[in-house]
């Protein structure tokens, strides 16, 4: 009789403990927004890209500058017999001069335009990298969340299954159970311990990955990720596409590359026109051989002859190909964005429905089924395996609920990266 009372007490404890959380909650992780800010501020790859952009921006400032003028000094028509005498021949003179290279009208402005479009394209490439870095931080964050919830569920179920083992042993000791029940409960406990070990290792790997993205020591601990509600998306697929075409940095980068190609094409056409070189020379002369030795000066204009047509035609063709390549890449990116948005929205809808189904239907029903199994087991109307299967099914449903919530948020992170802006707050 005492064993029966003890058995019922254990069953009551199992029923109570199956619906309560752990007593001691570990410290929470830093807010996701703070982690993203740390990553964007500290990541060395991003800092390197920003320095590279500043390099391109500095090149743009150089592109329209004139070449340095050339200053010349020479001793002209010296007499070989008396090289240091300047009054033996009227053609002997000291000459100073200056010359300046002047590109054909419009070339300097076009060179600056080409360099500015290239720098602007690289600037938007950096913004694209920032989006990707934010996405990776968010995905890692929610993967840790799913593992935290799974470990929490496993910890709770390990205690319950340990109680089940005690129940099976108690019933077996009074001749109401079979030894197979004890082995089955022990096997399920071992499976959960194996899962716990695997998930603990995965969490450590994810912690190291998150700290790598944040560029801080890999041993920096990441607290428990708090629970959250799934945000709604008020924008339709069409609105998301329109937002992506307006906000996505990679689209802006390709538009600037296409503009660069068009400016390069105009610059290549300008190359069919000659550049100028203006020069001025002043000759200091001395009286010699009845020549009064008046000073003289020379003004000159030099033009290159743009007769290398094949080279210039190749330059025009290169610029045209660059423009076509950028425009086709832009069309391909828009097509890819449209596909990604629709695909991600379909997956998010599925995950949202699963969360609603598990939280509002399956898990409450599984809890009721387990409670009924516990009551029936007390009066020997169901066997131990039915009771154990009910607990395992509830365990799997609870895990799937949190995995679906994490997957929804990871899909949202991918959607935001595809669109190019935050969506959760809209």
């Amino acid at each position: 009789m005492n064993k029966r009372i003890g058995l019922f007490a254990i069953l009551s404890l199992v029923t109570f403990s199956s619906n309560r959380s752990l007593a001691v909650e570990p410290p929470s992780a830093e807010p996701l927004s703070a982690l993203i800010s740390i990553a964007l501020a500290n990541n060395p790859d991003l800092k390197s890209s920003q320095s590279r952009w500043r390099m391109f921006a500095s090149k743009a400032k150089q592109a329209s500058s004139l070449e340095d003028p050339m200053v010349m000094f020479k001793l002209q028509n010296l007499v070989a017999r008396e090289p240091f005498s300047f009054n033996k021949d009227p053609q002997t003179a000291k000459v100073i001069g200056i010359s300046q290279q002047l590109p054909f009208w419009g070339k300097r402005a076009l060179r600056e335009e080409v360099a500015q479009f290239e720098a602007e394209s690289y600037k938007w490439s950096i913004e694209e990298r920032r989006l990707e870095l934010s996405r990776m931080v968010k995905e890692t964050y929610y993967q840790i969340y799913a593992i935290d919830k799974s470990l929490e569920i496993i910890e709770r179920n390990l205690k319950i299954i340990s109680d089940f083992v005690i129940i099976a042993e108690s019933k077996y000791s009074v001749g109401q159970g079979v030894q197979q029940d004890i082995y089955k409960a022990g096997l399920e406990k071992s499976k959960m311990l194996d899962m716990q070990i695997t998930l603990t290792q995965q969490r450590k790997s994810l912690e190291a990955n998150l700290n790598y993205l944040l560029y801080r020591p890999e041993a920096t601990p990441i607290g428990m990720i708090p629970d959250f509600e799934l945000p709604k998306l008020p924008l339709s697929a069409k609105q998301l596409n329109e937002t992506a075409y307006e906000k996505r940095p990679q689209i802006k980068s390709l538009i600037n590359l296409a503009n660069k190609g068009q400016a390069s094409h105009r610059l290549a056409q300008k190359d069919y026109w000659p550049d100028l070189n203006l020069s001025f020379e002043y000759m200091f002369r001395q009286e010699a051989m009845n020549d009064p030795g008046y000073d003289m000066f020379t003004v000159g204009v030099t033009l290159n002859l743009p007769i290398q047509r094949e080279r210039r035609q190749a330059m025009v063709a290169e610029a045209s190909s660059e423009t076509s390549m950028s425009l086709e890449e832009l069309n391909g990116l828009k097509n890819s964005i449209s596909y990604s948005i629709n695909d991600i929205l379909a997956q998010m809808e599925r995950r949202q429905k699963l969360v609603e189904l598990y939280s509002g239907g399956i898990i409450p029903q599984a809890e009721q089924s387990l409670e009924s199994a516990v009551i029936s087991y007390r009066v020997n109307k169901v066997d131990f395996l039915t009771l154990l299967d009910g607990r395992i099914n509830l365990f799997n449903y609870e895990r799937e609920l949190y995995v679906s919530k994490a997957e929804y948020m990871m899909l949202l992170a991918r959607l935001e990266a595809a669109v190019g802006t935050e969506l959760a707050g809209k």
Side-chain angles (χ1 to χ4, degrees):
M1 186 64 183
N2 290 334
K3 289 185 177 180
R4 288 177 178 269
I5 294 173
L7 182 60
F8 289 164
I10 293 172
L11 283 167
S12 300
L13 179 62
V14 170
T15 304
F16 173 73
S17 62
S18 64
N19 293 314
R20 72 188 189 94
S21 303
L22 297 176
V24 180
E25 291 290 340
S28 297
E30 301 166 76
L32 178 58
S33 57
L35 295 175
I36 293 173
S37 297
I38 293 172
L40 296 179
N42 294 345
N43 190 272
D45 292 337
L46 198 57
K47 287 184 177 180
S48 172
S49 297
Q50 289 169 341
S51 296
R52 189 173 180 83
W53 167 69
R54 286 191 287 269
M55 179 185 72
F56 277 103
S58 298
K59 284 185 176 181
K61 296 178 182 178
Q62 304 171 38
S64 63
S65 300
L66 288 171
E67 295 291 334
D68 290 332
M70 301 292 291
V71 177
M72 177 268 292
F73 173 78
K74 65 181 177 180
L75 301 176
Q76 180 174 288
N77 298 325
L78 295 174
V79 178
R81 187 181 301 173
E82 297 182 48
F84 298 106
S85 178
F86 295 94
N87 57 2
K88 299 298 182 182
D89 192 291
Q91 297 183 16
T92 301
K94 304 180 190 73
V95 184
I96 61 172
I98 187 170
S99 64
Q100 177 66 59
Q101 183 78 20
L102 295 176
F104 188 78
W105 179 82
K107 282 187 178 180
R108 288 171 57 205
L110 284 171
R111 286 172 185 165
E112 183 178 14
E113 191 175 347
V114 169
Q116 284 177 341
F117 281 132
E118 185 175 20
E120 193 72 8
S121 170
Y122 201 84
K123 184 187 85 169
W124 289 114
S125 296
I126 295 174
E127 293 302 314
E128 184 73 16
R129 290 174 69 90
R130 289 169 65 90
L131 275 179
E132 283 299 303
L133 182 58
S134 297
R135 177 190 61 81
M136 290 189 287
V137 170
K138 290 175 184 177
E139 287 187 340
T140 307
Y141 181 87
Y142 289 113
Q143 285 175 328
I144 293 175
Y145 165 82
I147 288 180
D148 283 345
K149 288 299 181 181
S150 295
L151 288 171
E152 182 181 326
I153 295 168
I154 288 173
E155 186 68 27
R156 185 167 67 245
N157 278 270
L158 280 173
K159 293 182 178 180
I160 295 171
I161 291 181
S162 295
D163 292 338
F164 280 4
V165 172
I166 296 173
I167 294 169
E169 290 174 345
S170 299
K171 293 200 74 171
Y172 179 70
S173 66
V174 296
Q176 295 182 5
V178 294
Q179 197 173 27
Q180 182 183 356
D181 294 345
I182 301 173
Y183 295 149
K184 179 65 176 176
L187 177 61
E188 292 300 332
K189 182 178 179 180
S190 298
K191 287 181 180 179
M192 286 194 181
L193 287 171
D194 176 66
M195 189 181 301
Q196 186 181 52
I197 293 170
T198 301
L199 290 174
T200 301
Q201 179 273 319
Q202 289 178 0
R203 194 187 198 282
K204 289 180 180 178
S205 298
L206 289 169
E207 278 185 341
N209 184 54
L210 185 57
N211 286 321
Y212 162 77
L213 294 173
L214 271 58
Y215 195 60
R216 64 187 188 182
E218 62 181 18
T220 304
I222 306 295
M224 289 283 292
I225 310 295
D227 208 351
F228 52 86
E229 296 295 327
L230 298 187
K232 302 292 183 181
L233 285 179
L235 300 180
S236 64
K238 181 180 179 182
Q239 291 171 321
L240 288 170
N241 272 283
E242 292 171 352
T243 303
Y245 297 158
E246 178 185 353
K247 300 286 189 181
R248 180 73 181 267
Q250 193 174 355
I251 287 182
K252 296 181 180 181
S253 176
L254 289 174
I255 289 174
N256 277 281
L257 283 180
N259 291 336
K260 176 200 167 190
Q262 293 171 352
S264 297
H265 186 271
R266 295 195 299 272
L267 179 61
Q269 289 179 321
K270 286 279 186 182
D271 207 53
Y272 283 99
W273 295 90
D275 296 329
L276 306 178
N277 188 293
L278 302 180
S279 63
F280 173 83
E281 295 182 4
Y282 194 92
M283 293 180 288
F284 298 91
R285 300 172 65 239
Q286 295 182 9
E287 183 180 353
M289 298 177 65
N290 299 321
D291 188 291
Y294 297 138
D295 291 350
M296 305 174 71
F297 69 89
T298 301
V299 176
V301 178
T302 306
L303 295 86
N304 67 304
L305 296 177
I307 60 175
Q308 302 296 333
R309 309 287 292 183
E310 291 184 2
R311 180 174 69 85
R312 288 170 173 81
Q313 288 170 356
M315 290 170 61
V316 172
E318 177 186 355
S320 298
S321 298
E322 182 179 13
T323 303
S324 299
M325 177 186 69
S326 299
L327 290 174
E328 292 305 324
E329 285 183 0
L330 181 59
N331 291 333
L333 176 61
K334 288 181 176 180
N335 189 47
S336 174
I337 288 173
S338 179
Y339 165 76
S340 296
I341 287 174
N342 285 280
D343 180 55
I344 292 172
L345 285 177
Q347 294 185 56
M348 289 178 69
E349 183 181 10
R350 171 178 171 266
R351 286 296 180 179
Q352 184 177 7
K353 288 181 178 179
L354 284 175
V355 169
E356 292 172 355
L357 180 62
Y358 280 114
S359 59
I362 292 179
I363 290 179
Q365 292 169 5
E367 289 174 343
Q368 292 173 3
S369 176
L370 177 61
E371 186 176 354
S372 175
V374 170
I375 294 171
S376 298
Y377 184 66
R378 289 176 179 175
V379 293
N380 294 322
K381 288 187 177 180
V382 298
D383 58 13
F384 181 78
L385 294 181
T386 302
L387 178 65
L388 185 60
D389 287 343
R391 181 67 251 178
I392 299 303
N393 287 336
L394 179 57
F395 164 77
N396 290 328
Y397 296 146
E398 288 175 331
R399 282 199 64 211
E400 186 59 33
L401 167 64
Y402 293 112
V403 168
S404 292
K405 291 183 71 173
E407 281 290 334
Y408 181 93
M409 298 305 295
M410 287 190 283
L411 288 166
L412 177 60
R414 292 172 203 162
L415 183 63
E416 290 175 338
V419 174
T421 187
E422 294 281 339
L423 298 171
K426 293 193 175 185

